[in-house]
């Protein structure tokens, strides 16, 4: 557990590490998905090509979109792209940088799927068994073209009666697999060469502008996160005050109703924390809960701060008189409404 | 105890780029061996394809692993940057660049060497590539007549594929396989020995040549690496502080803009109330908050912190001069600097 926590903390240390971590997880998921997928070539003349190419090309697209979705930075980039200019100019270089960084990370899992597919060979054999030249292999002389196509399309299926004992089946299978693996390794080599060149040649082009772009794109990311955190903290305090005020107004109402009953609660010392907030029996609590449901307090604590100062003095200001008189009517709309004007 | 050890190892590997690369290097060597055993070797058993396939599997993955070792090493961009930067006030030392390059290349070569050794020691690749070159006169029935050159090559090409081999009369398959495997394994062990001797020589003989200059290069190359890392960290810290102050000023500006005047706390406010209001940053109702959120989207604040905040002579102000500036109304600074 400790080990996981450390690894987790390492990846959380900055958002780039988080994205690298997600990227790696998607890549592993891609390999796992391929190995657990039960490949099932249809072995019919036209279906083979569609199935084989479909398995080779559709999951990568899904993985690519997954990579884009799971990356938090894509939202940040879209927001930066679409926002009105306002007081802050937009820098297209930043948007391009973020876009390229997102694309690079999102492309890793699809590329891994394609390469694993090619190196394994099943897909390729299934898709292209009908396209080879039967002259190269023994056992296809004196057969009509239609029959040839049928036999060729049965090559990927080992257990098919027509081709089970045909020596050409294994030869064709091996031939196609060899091409598939050759193609897979070539694709991998080309991609690695491109990645190497991109990595080593980048500092040769406009390094200063690159440093600036990187700093400001990092800044935008951090700013968004801190803004969200600030809003969360604010909402928490807002809610706290709102609810405190609600309890106090309940308390006040109860005091009003039985102003001649002994008030043990009032004599409590100032410094003591009163978690019961004056609600001390079942009836009061039920009243409070009903009121919370039918008539939530307005979203305005500016008066709450004034109210807090005058606690102890039994003074009611305007809004509370209204809500007191309407208490008990089912469901009442709150005074200052809950509609947003966004 | 085990966790402690693991944590120590983890921290040690993280301490600088070189140690980190040692870790990556080890992982890649293991991955290389694992990849070989997971790879489904599939000799085509056709005359000219065999050689291409066999040699391809022997040499292409090592290049891939070698370049991958470079790609994963952050020092590549540090090296390129150091090479291409304008001289400015800091001179460039080619010895440092050479040291960095050698150090990266040495580490990147381990995984390919592992792949080649494993491939040769296993033997399938070699057998596939050179099955057509088996000396039939020595191993089998050399005087088997009635076969053209092409036909013989075709039969020999099928040696790696057990189920279709049909040349029993020419040369027994087991004999050919054993012969090829023997040569392959001999080559494999020679390769391993050669690599080990080279590594030993490089390591043992280096102190004999310009040790002082070597120590200097090593130090300065570590320095460049650490300096870059610290610079990135400092930039991130700066961006965080910048963002915090920017957002705080945005809340305050919004507050002022709404003209609610909540920053002027009434007389005799108890300290508790003051603290709570501080946390609310003056935004105390729904309408204001909505306006704030809308304004955040439609009109983000300029990237230019107000002068009042930077009274203590922060040097970053110059960077922001080129950004737009909203002229905010002058206002009395009664407020609190909350520890957001």
């Amino acid at each position: 557990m400790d080990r996981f926590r450390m690894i987790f903390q390492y990846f959380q240390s900055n958002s780039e590490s988080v994205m690298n971590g997600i990227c790696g997880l998607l890549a592993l998921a891609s390999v796992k998905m391929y190995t657990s997928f039960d490949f099932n070539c249809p072995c019919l003349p036209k279906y083979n090509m569609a199935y084989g190419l479909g398995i080779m090309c559709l999951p990568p697209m899904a993985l690519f979109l997954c990579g884009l979705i799971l990356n938090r930075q894509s939202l940040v980039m879209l927001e930066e792209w679409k926002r009105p200019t306002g007081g802050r100019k937009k820098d297209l270089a930043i948007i391009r940088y973020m876009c390229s960084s997102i694309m690079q990370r999102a492309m890793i899992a699809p590329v891994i799927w394609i390469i694993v597919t090619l190196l394994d060979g099943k897909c390729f054999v299934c898709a292209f068994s009908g396209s080879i030249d039967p002259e190269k292999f023994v056992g296809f002389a004196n057969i009509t073209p239609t029959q040839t196509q049928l036999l060729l399309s049965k090559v990927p299926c080992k257990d098919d009666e027509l081709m089970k004992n045909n020596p050409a089946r294994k030869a064709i299978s091996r031939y196609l697999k060899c091409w598939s693996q050759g193609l897979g390794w070539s694709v991998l080599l080309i991609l690695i060469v491109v990645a190497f060149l991109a990595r080593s040649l980048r500092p040769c082009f406009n390094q200063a502008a690159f440093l600036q772009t990187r700093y400001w794109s990092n800044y935008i990311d951090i700013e968004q996160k801190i803004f969200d955190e600030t809003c969360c903290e604010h909402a928490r305090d807002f809610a706290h005050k709102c609810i405190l005020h609600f309890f106090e107004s309940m308390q006040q109402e109860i005091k009003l109703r039985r102003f001649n009953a002994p008030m043990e609660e009032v004599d409590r010392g100032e410094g003591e924390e009163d978690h019961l907030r004056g609600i001390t029996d079942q009836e009061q609590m039920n009243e409070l809960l009903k009121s919370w449901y039918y008539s939530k307090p307005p979203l305005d604590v500016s008066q709450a701060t004034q109210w807090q100062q005058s606690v102890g003095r039994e003074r009611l200001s305007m809004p509370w008189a209204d809500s007191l008189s309407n208490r008990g009517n089912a469901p009442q709309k709150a005074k200052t409404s809950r509609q947003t004007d966004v | 105890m085990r966790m402690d050890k693991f944590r120590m190892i983890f921290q040690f590997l993280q301490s600088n780029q070189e140690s980190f690369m040692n870790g990556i290097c080890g992982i890649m060597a293991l991955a290389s061996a694992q990849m070989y055993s997971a790879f489904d070797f599939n000799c085509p058993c056709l005359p000219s394809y065999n050689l291409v396939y066999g040699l391809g599997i022997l040499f292409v993955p090592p290049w891939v692993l070698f370049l991958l070792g470079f790609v994963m090493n952050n020092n590549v961009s540090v090296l390129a940057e150091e090479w291409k930067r304008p001289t400015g006030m800091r001179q460039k030392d080619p010895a440092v660049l050479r040291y960095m390059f050698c150090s990266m290349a040495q580490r990147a070569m381990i995984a390919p060497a592992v792949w080649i050794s494993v491939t040769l020691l296993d033997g399938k690749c070699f057998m596939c590539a050179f099955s057509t070159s088996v000396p039939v006169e020595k191993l089998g029935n050399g005087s088997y007549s009635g076969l053209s050159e092409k036909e013989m090559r075709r039969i020999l090409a099928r040696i790696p594929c057990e189920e279709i081999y049909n040349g029993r009369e020419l040369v027994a398959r087991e004999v050919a396989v054993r012969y090829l495997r023997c040569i392959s394994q001999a080559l494999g062990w020679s390769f391993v020995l050669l690599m080990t001797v080279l590594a030993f020589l490089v390591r043992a003989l280096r102190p004999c040549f310009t040790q002082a200059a070597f120590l200097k290069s090593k130090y300065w190359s570590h320095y460049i690496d650490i300096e870059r890392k610290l610079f990135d960290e400092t930039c991130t810290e700066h961006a965080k502080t910048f963002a915090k102050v920017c957002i705080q000023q945005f809340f305050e500006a919004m507050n002022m803009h709404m003209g609610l005047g909540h920053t002027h706390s009434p007389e005799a406010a108890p300290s508790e109330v003051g603290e709570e209001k501080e946390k609310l940053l003056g935004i105390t109702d729904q309408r204001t908050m909505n306006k704030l959120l809308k304004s955040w989207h439609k009109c983000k604040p300029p990237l230019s912190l107000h002068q009042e905040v930077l009274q203590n002579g922060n040097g970053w102000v110059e960077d922001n001069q080129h950004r737009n500036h909203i002229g905010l109304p002058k206002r009395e600074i009664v407020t609190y600097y909350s520890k957001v």
Side-chain angles (χ1 to χ4, degrees), chain B residues 63-75:
Chain B
W63 276 107
V64 168
L65 291 166
F66 181 68
L67 290 176
L68 192 64
F70 271 101
V71 165
M72 296 198 49
N73 193 344
N74 282 334
N75 272 355

Side-chain angles (χ1 to χ4, degrees), chain B residues 81-207:
Chain B
E81 201 176 317
E82 180 65 18
W83 188 29
K84 278 299 182 186
R85 69 174 169 91
T87 309
M89 306 236 291
R90 189 189 283 193
Q91 271 178 333
K92 288 203 263 195
D93 188 358
V96 170
L97 296 176
R98 274 197 306 266
Y99 172 84
M100 285 173 85
F101 182 73
C102 287
S103 143
M104 284 195 296
Q106 282 169 22
R107 280 181 183 80
M109 281 214 278
I110 294 184
V114 167
W115 175 278
I116 293 180
S117 321
V118 169
T119 307
L120 287 174
L121 290 177
D122 189 40
K124 286 193 293 239
C125 226
F126 193 86
M127 193 162 62
C128 184
F130 294 104
S131 67
T132 47
S133 324
V134 163
V136 179
E137 310 78 36
K138 262 200 282 185
L139 299 178
N141 198 349
S143 57
Y144 189 73
S145 59
L147 280 178
S148 63
E149 188 66 35
K150 203 164 152 215
E151 189 59 33
M152 193 154 78
R153 275 168 49 89
R154 203 179 292 173
I155 293 180
L156 287 177
R158 295 201 189 113
I159 288 177
C161 300
E162 192 173 347
E163 61 270 355
I164 62 166
Y165 184 61
N166 56 354
R168 277 212 140 266
E169 300 80 26
L170 186 58
V171 55
R173 185 182 173 267
E174 293 76 27
V175 171
V177 163
R178 243 179 290 134
Y179 176 78
L180 288 167
R181 262 190 119 162
C182 154
I183 296 188
S184 172
Q185 287 179 347
L187 275 177
W189 282 116
S190 314
F191 180 75
V192 169
L193 183 66
L194 182 68
M195 287 284 123
T196 321
V197 164
L198 269 178
F200 170 76
L201 284 178
V202 164
R203 209 134 193 201
L205 293 183
R206 201 216 314 275

Side-chain angles (χ1 to χ4, degrees), chain A residues 184-335:
Chain A
W185 281 114
S186 312
V187 165
L188 187 58
L189 182 68
I190 290 174
L191 286 175
I192 295 278
V193 165
V194 164
F196 171 73
L197 287 176
R199 197 125 201 226
S200 49
L201 293 183
R202 188 190 358 240
C204 304
F205 301 94
N206 213 352
Q207 177 71 352
F210 170 72
L211 284 176
Q212 285 174 355
T213 310
R214 198 171 64 164
Y215 176 84
W216 288 113
S217 88
N218 200 21
Y219 171 81
I220 291 174
D221 195 25
I222 290 176
E223 191 187 47
Q224 183 65 29
K225 245 194 298 210
I226 293 183
F227 184 74
D228 288 340
E229 278 171 23
T230 311
C231 281
C232 266
E233 276 173 31
H234 188 271
R236 200 187 162 79
D237 294 324
F238 198 103
H240 191 229
K241 274 190 112 69
C242 209
I243 291 170
L244 268 184
H245 185 242
F246 177 71
F247 270 80
E248 272 152 17
S249 72
M250 274 281 110
Q251 199 175 353
Q252 199 58 30
E253 195 189 318
I254 287 164
K255 276 190 207 151
L256 268 188
R257 286 211 194 135
R258 7 177 168 139
F259 61 89
N260 49 359
M263 295 271 130
E264 318 84 60
E265 298 88 321
V266 177
D267 297 336
R268 206 175 287 244
E270 278 307 312
E272 239 173 78
E273 193 73 84
D274 180 11
H275 286 291
L276 289 179
R277 306 187 199 283
I279 315 291
T280 47
D281 69 20
Q282 188 185 22
E283 201 191 296
Q284 292 170 9
M285 194 62 205
N286 287 341
E287 186 81 32
L288 184 144
L289 291 170
K290 193 160 81 165
S291 177
W292 180 252
Y293 176 69
Y294 282 115
S295 168
K296 279 205 165 73
L299 286 169
D300 184 346
V301 297
S302 48
Q303 304 203 2
T305 54
Q306 292 171 13
W307 176 257
Q308 258 186 316
Q309 288 155 31
S310 61
V311 82
R313 291 179 266 155
E314 294 170 8
R315 189 186 73 182
L316 296 174
S317 50
M318 275 303 291
W320 315 125
D322 283 344
S323 57
L324 279 179
S325 61
N326 291 341
R327 192 83 58 193
N329 293 350
Q332 154 168 348
K333 286 213 165 1
K335 275 279 133 189

Side-chain angles (χ1 to χ4, degrees), chain A residues 2 88 177 181 199 215 234, chain B residues 40 53 71 74 238 301:
Chain A
D2 218 4
R88 188 188 286 188
K177 218 168 168 184
Q181 287 177 344
R199 197 125 201 226
Y215 176 84
H234 188 271
Chain B
D40 182 17
Y53 186 84
V71 165
N74 282 334
H238 182 265

Side-chain angles (χ1 to χ4, degrees), chain B residues 231-244:
Chain B
F231 181 74
D232 286 342
E233 278 174 21
T234 311
C235 279
T236 308
E237 282 306 313
H238 182 265
K240 268 196 199 140
T241 312
F242 197 111
K244 275 189 192 148

Side-chain angles (χ1 to χ4, degrees), chain A residues 1-4 6-7 10 13-14 79-80 82-91 94 119-120 136-138 167 170-171 173-179 181-182 185-186 188-190 192-193 195-197 199-205 207 210-211 214-216 218-220 222-231 233-241 244 299-303 305-306 308-309 336-342, chain B residues 2-3 6-7 10 14 20 35 39-46 49 53 57 60-61 63-64 67-68 70-74 76-78 80-84 115 161 163-164 228 231-232 234-236 238-244 246-247 250-251 262 266-270 272-273 276-277 279-287 289-294 296-303 319-320 322-326 340:
Chain A
M1 267 306 117
D2 218 4
R3 199 184 300 188
F4 281 121
M6 243 168 46
I7 295 180
Y10 167 67
S13 57
N14 66 354
E79 204 176 308
E80 178 66 16
K82 282 300 181 189
R83 69 172 171 92
T85 309
R88 188 188 286 188
K89 277 199 287 211
K90 282 205 266 197
D91 189 354
I94 295 178
L119 289 182
D120 188 41
K136 286 202 198 136
F137 302 95
V138 292
K170 289 210 180 106
S173 179
R174 239 181 296 128
Y175 173 77
L176 286 171
K177 218 168 168 184
C178 157
W179 272 105
Q181 287 177 344
W185 281 114
S186 312
L188 187 58
L189 182 68
I190 290 174
I192 295 278
V193 165
F196 171 73
L197 287 176
R199 197 125 201 226
S200 49
L201 293 183
R202 188 190 358 240
C204 304
F205 301 94
Q207 177 71 352
F210 170 72
L211 284 176
R214 198 171 64 164
Y215 176 84
W216 288 113
N218 200 21
Y219 171 81
I220 291 174
I222 290 176
E223 191 187 47
Q224 183 65 29
K225 245 194 298 210
I226 293 183
F227 184 74
D228 288 340
E229 278 171 23
T230 311
C231 281
E233 276 173 31
H234 188 271
R236 200 187 162 79
D237 294 324
F238 198 103
H240 191 229
K241 274 190 112 69
L244 268 184
L299 286 169
D300 184 346
V301 297
S302 48
Q303 304 203 2
T305 54
Q306 292 171 13
Q308 258 186 316
Q309 288 155 31
T336 54
S337 67
R338 310 203 126 238
Q339 305 127 5
T340 60
D341 60 332
V342 171
Chain B
R2 243 181 46 188
M3 281 307 135
F6 187 73
R7 191 174 315 163
F10 203 64
Q14 285 260 291
F20 181 68
M35 249 167 69
F39 178 64
D40 182 17
F41 190 85
N42 177 52
C43 196
C45 294
L46 295 166
Y49 285 71
Y53 186 84
I57 298 295
V60 167
W63 276 107
V64 168
L67 290 176
L68 192 64
F70 271 101
V71 165
M72 296 198 49
N73 193 344
N74 282 334
V76 162
S77 32
V78 171
E81 201 176 317
E82 180 65 18
W83 188 29
K84 278 299 182 186
W115 175 278
C161 300
E163 61 270 355
I164 62 166
R228 214 244 329 223
F231 181 74
D232 286 342
T234 311
C235 279
T236 308
H238 182 265
K240 268 196 199 140
T241 312
F242 197 111
K244 275 189 192 148
C246 197
I247 288 171
F250 176 71
F251 270 75
H262 280 153
E267 8 37 58
E272 187 195 297
V273 176
E276 282 185 4
K277 273 169 35 155
K279 284 198 226 163
L280 285 179
L281 300 169
I283 313 291
T284 50
D285 67 17
Q286 186 188 19
R287 203 169 52 101
M289 192 65 200
N290 286 340
K291 279 221 158 65
L292 184 146
L293 290 170
K294 191 154 81 167
W296 180 254
H297 173 69
K298 286 204 145 61
C299 184
K300 278 204 164 77
L303 288 167
D319 293 341
N320 307 321
H322 65 285
R323 306 271 176 186
N324 268 351
H325 220 90
I326 299 183
V340 167

